[in-house]
Amino acid sequence: MLEIRIHGRGGQGAVTAAQILAISAFYDGKQSQAFPRFGVERRGAPVEAFCRIDDKTINVRSQVYAPDVVLILEPSLIEAVDVTAGLKKGAPIIINTGSNITCAAFKDFKVHCVDASKVALEIFKADIVNTTILGAFAKVTGVISLDAINKAIEDRFTGKPQVIEMNKQAVKRVYDQVD
Amino acid sequence: METHIPERISDFVNNGELDCEMIYVESEHSALSAALGSSAAGVRSYTATSSQGLALMFEILHIVSGMRLPVVMSVANRALSAPINIWNDHQDSMSCRDAGWIQLYVESAQEAVDTTIMSFKIAEDHSVMLPVMVCLDGFTLSHVFEPVDIPDQSVVDKFLPKFVPVFRLDTKNPKTFGPIGYPDVFMDFKKQQQDAFAVSAGVIKKVASDFNKSFGRSYGDGIVEAYELDDAKYVFVGLGTICGTARVVIDKLRKEGKKVGMMKLKCFRPFPDKAIVDALKKADAVAVFDRAVSFGQKGPVFSEIESAFCDESKKPVIHSFIAGLGGRDVKLDHIELAFNRIIKEKSSITEWLL
């Protein structure tokens, strides 16, 4: 089972990102589960969302304490919260940032920086990275396909063909940019 | 009203996928009153609620059950204030355990869907005619995304034909519903309700078995569900989603050679004392997990399981664990710790997993 923790700020759509990830996994024929850290959400405050992906039925219902992957939607969160808490050694950390972040806390992990905000600003004219960053997740982990993410986007934005097209473009662009 | 459920039902109605009338009301008291009225008029009726909303319905809960109206209601189990808390525990529905409703608890979103379909068939059976609460953990199920198979309408229609009321409000054939019950009749009505509960256990099992035949899914016998129970010496007992977490712990401890298992209590009302005794009598020790407290007593499920064994000469040591109140996360470690405690302890303990 793959356990994913997403760090974002209230309003950035960390919960939506986890949900779209779970739907994508479903379209790839896997079992999945997505849920937020249940709190009272406030705009701008640090929020967390979780996703589990497995080939078998997922029975566990507790929160995620030892993630296999961490996604960070906003680099200032690295100072604000313990983003590597419980993260397995050697695990990937995917960060939405324009600079190359290197810090001592990340030495045991594999850091992947990608400027999803820049891509989002170009395509949406707004800093919306919750779907965009999933392109990086697909590339780095190889766990879900771009096709599946595209289907999940079609699901999520039914009846809004333009929004669907822009999201697909953004995901693909980040997929191509990240190493 | 619980948010996600009516929102999605609104979608179904709007998209023409569900042929029903949706009534918008100003409070939970009114929501259940509207369901009461429509059910009395002979229409299949459903509502959903949670925590304070259920508390506000309390007066009407007894009226629906006393009038023998087969309303089905989802309860997204959440804590009752104070302190203000919107997260998961079972205090809300456990506080309504004597309101005359059948209570079924579910472990997954799929079980919630399936149990809702089964509940109409149980409630509307003419030998039962009791309302049913489908209790699903608030947030842990009500706000989680996971794959669910929503069965085809045609298959459901075959399994669950049109509702046929025993009596209905009809201007052409007038009847009085819910009038005063003087002391010379009131108690007889209550005895009939109690007798209907006695009959309902058999109907729940029959419906669960028929559901399995039609849909290929089952949850024990509809009353209790066993997991690794046959040779288990140490047994976890719980309701709802913590049973899923317990399965993972049991798999781990089994690999270490520990004889552990689970009895999931799906049906809390009617209370299945015989099924529970049968399931647990071979065990050495039992850990009952309650996500509610009867203040001044112990966990409600614990107390009732203990009393189910009062006439038995051989019984396991039954331990009480209070866990997961107000959204406190129930971790794998909590359940493992409970198993390790009951393996060691020789006499009954009560422990709050803080």
Side-chain angles (χ1 to χ4, degrees):
Chain A
M1 181 166 60
L2 194 80
E3 295 188 300
I4 303 128
R5 186 172 65 216
I6 304 175
H7 292 275
R9 288 192 180 275
Q12 272 194 306
V15 179
T16 307
Q19 290 170 353
I20 293 178
L21 199 53
I23 298 168
S24 305
F26 170 75
Y27 278 123
D28 269 338
K30 295 174 198 296
Q31 295 290 322
S32 57
Q33 196 188 66
F35 56 101
R37 180 186 288 281
F38 305 123
V40 181
E41 286 165 23
R42 289 161 297 146
R43 188 162 279 269
V47 294
E48 285 169 33
F50 307 104
C51 184
R52 291 189 169 105
I53 299 173
D54 203 349
D55 295 324
K56 305 190 296 283
T57 305
I58 300 168
N59 286 314
V60 63
R61 294 284 174 183
S62 62
Q63 293 183 7
V64 169
Y65 295 97
D68 301 282
V69 187
V70 161
L71 264 79
I72 303 169
L73 302 187
E74 215 278 312
S76 71
L77 286 163
I78 297 165
E79 306 290 318
V81 291
D82 185 2
V83 291
T84 60
L87 185 63
K88 287 168 188 153
K89 220 174 163 184
I93 302 177
I94 300 164
I95 312 172
N96 168 33
T97 174
S99 55
N100 234 338
I101 292 181
T102 45
C103 67
F106 289 170
K107 68 175 166 42
D108 290 336
F109 310 105
K110 212 170 168 320
V111 178
H112 303 266
C113 295
V114 65
D115 201 348
S117 286
K118 187 166 176 248
V119 172
L121 283 167
E122 281 169 19
I123 294 175
F124 303 112
K125 313 284 177 232
D127 189 1
I128 306 166
V129 294
N130 56 353
T131 50
T132 317
I133 196 89
L134 298 182
F137 178 87
K139 178 84 159 284
V140 167
T141 66
V143 169
I144 50 169
S145 64
L146 269 182
D147 272 358
I149 297 179
N150 286 341
K151 277 190 199 155
I153 287 170
E154 285 166 16
D155 252 22
R156 185 75 188 192
F157 303 106
T158 309
K160 297 173 186 164
Q162 242 184 327
V163 178
I164 290 172
E165 211 33 61
M166 286 195 291
N167 275 285
K168 284 182 180 176
Q169 262 183 42
V171 167
K172 176 74 168 69
R173 200 157 337 149
V174 166
Y175 181 92
D176 290 338
Q177 276 180 21
V178 77
D179 347 282
Chain B
M1 201 174 179
E2 204 290 320
T3 45
H4 283 67
I5 295 170
E7 277 174 19
R8 292 312 305 267
I9 291 176
S10 302
D11 287 346
F12 291 148
V13 175
N14 177 63
N15 299 343
E17 295 164 298
L18 179 65
D19 178 19
C20 83
E21 184 85 27
M22 207 152 165
I23 306 171
Y24 295 91
V25 291
E26 77 287 358
S27 77
E28 286 81 358
H29 191 280
S30 303
L32 191 55
S33 299
L36 180 160
S38 62
S39 184
V43 176
R44 182 170 283 154
S45 304
Y46 167 91
T47 185
T49 192
S50 192
S51 105
Q52 308 301 126
L54 181 62
L56 186 56
M57 285 179 173
F58 187 73
E59 181 187 356
I60 313 300
L61 291 178
H62 288 260
I63 301 177
V64 171
S65 60
M67 288 173 68
R68 309 291 298 277
L69 297 171
V71 173
V72 173
M73 175 162 72
S74 300
V75 176
N77 284 118
R78 308 209 300 200
L80 288 169
S81 301
I84 294 171
N85 180 293
I86 56 171
W87 294 277
N88 170 226
D89 70 27
H90 294 163
Q91 196 71 35
D92 52 0
S93 57
M94 284 291 161
S95 298
C96 301
R97 66 182 181 172
D98 298 334
W101 287 57
I102 290 171
Q103 286 194 356
L104 305 174
Y105 288 77
V106 302
E107 180 187 336
S108 65
Q110 187 67 60
E111 191 177 353
V113 171
D114 295 346
T115 303
T116 306
I117 296 166
M118 285 189 258
S119 291
F120 286 108
K121 199 164 167 99
I122 296 162
E124 294 167 7
D125 189 291
H126 283 192
S127 67
V128 178
M129 295 305 281
L130 293 169
V132 181
M133 280 184 205
V134 180
C135 302
L136 63 146
D137 284 326
F139 283 109
T140 319
L141 279 187
S142 66
H143 288 59
V144 165
F145 267 58
E146 63 185 29
V148 164
D149 172 22
I150 297 184
D152 285 343
Q153 182 83 52
S154 59
V155 187
V156 177
D157 286 346
K158 213 171 152 201
F159 173 77
L160 179 67
K162 216 168 175 301
F163 168 40
V164 182
V166 180
F167 303 106
R168 58 184 282 262
L169 287 171
D170 182 359
T171 49
K172 292 196 189 75
N173 184 17
K175 284 189 175 60
T176 305
F177 275 63
I180 189 164
Y182 286 100
D184 61 339
V185 296
F186 183 85
M187 205 163 158
D188 306 270
F189 276 99
K190 296 298 125 182
K191 180 65 168 58
Q192 284 182 9
Q193 271 175 265
Q194 181 75 334
D195 292 345
F197 266 97
V199 171
S200 70
V203 174
I204 294 169
K205 279 191 204 170
K206 171 82 169 57
V207 169
S209 155
D210 290 349
F211 186 89
N212 192 16
K213 280 178 208 144
S214 299
F215 300 90
R217 283 192 292 268
S218 64
Y219 307 93
D221 62 357
I223 302 274
V224 295
E225 185 180 341
Y227 185 66
E228 299 283 1
L229 192 60
D230 280 349
D231 64 341
K233 292 285 163 214
Y234 307 99
V235 181
F236 169 95
V237 174
L239 302 81
T241 53
I242 51 168
C243 295
T245 308
R247 285 175 204 270
V248 180
V249 177
I250 289 163
D251 290 347
K252 177 179 177 237
L253 296 181
R254 278 273 168 183
K255 277 190 195 133
E256 296 170 8
K258 291 176 180 159
K259 294 210 161 169
V260 296
M262 173 171 76
M263 187 202 78
K264 175 171 114 182
L265 187 56
K266 179 169 171 65
C267 175
F268 182 63
R269 282 291 181 274
F271 191 72
D273 41 8
K274 281 199 180 63
I276 289 169
V277 169
D278 282 347
L280 301 178
K281 64 184 174 196
K282 286 187 291 178
D284 287 346
V286 173
V288 180
F289 269 56
D290 269 288
R291 306 194 73 174
V293 192
S294 179
F295 294 104
Q297 229 312 1
K298 294 182 179 176
V301 182
F302 167 79
S303 298
E304 297 202 9
I305 289 183
E306 209 177 39
S307 76
F309 273 99
C310 71
D311 289 333
E312 302 297 316
S313 51
K314 190 185 172 302
K315 64 172 213 166
V317 180
I318 306 168
H319 302 275
S320 169
F321 292 89
I322 307 288
L325 301 190
R328 181 74 56 94
D329 200 23
V330 181
K331 304 177 192 176
L332 296 163
D333 293 352
H334 284 128
I335 295 170
E336 189 170 343
L337 178 139
F339 271 123
N340 289 330
R341 285 295 305 273
I342 70 164
I343 289 170
K344 282 198 200 94
E345 297 288 343
K346 295 288 170 247
S347 52
S348 175
I349 56 165
T350 299
E351 194 156 309
W352 284 58
L353 296 174
L354 295 167

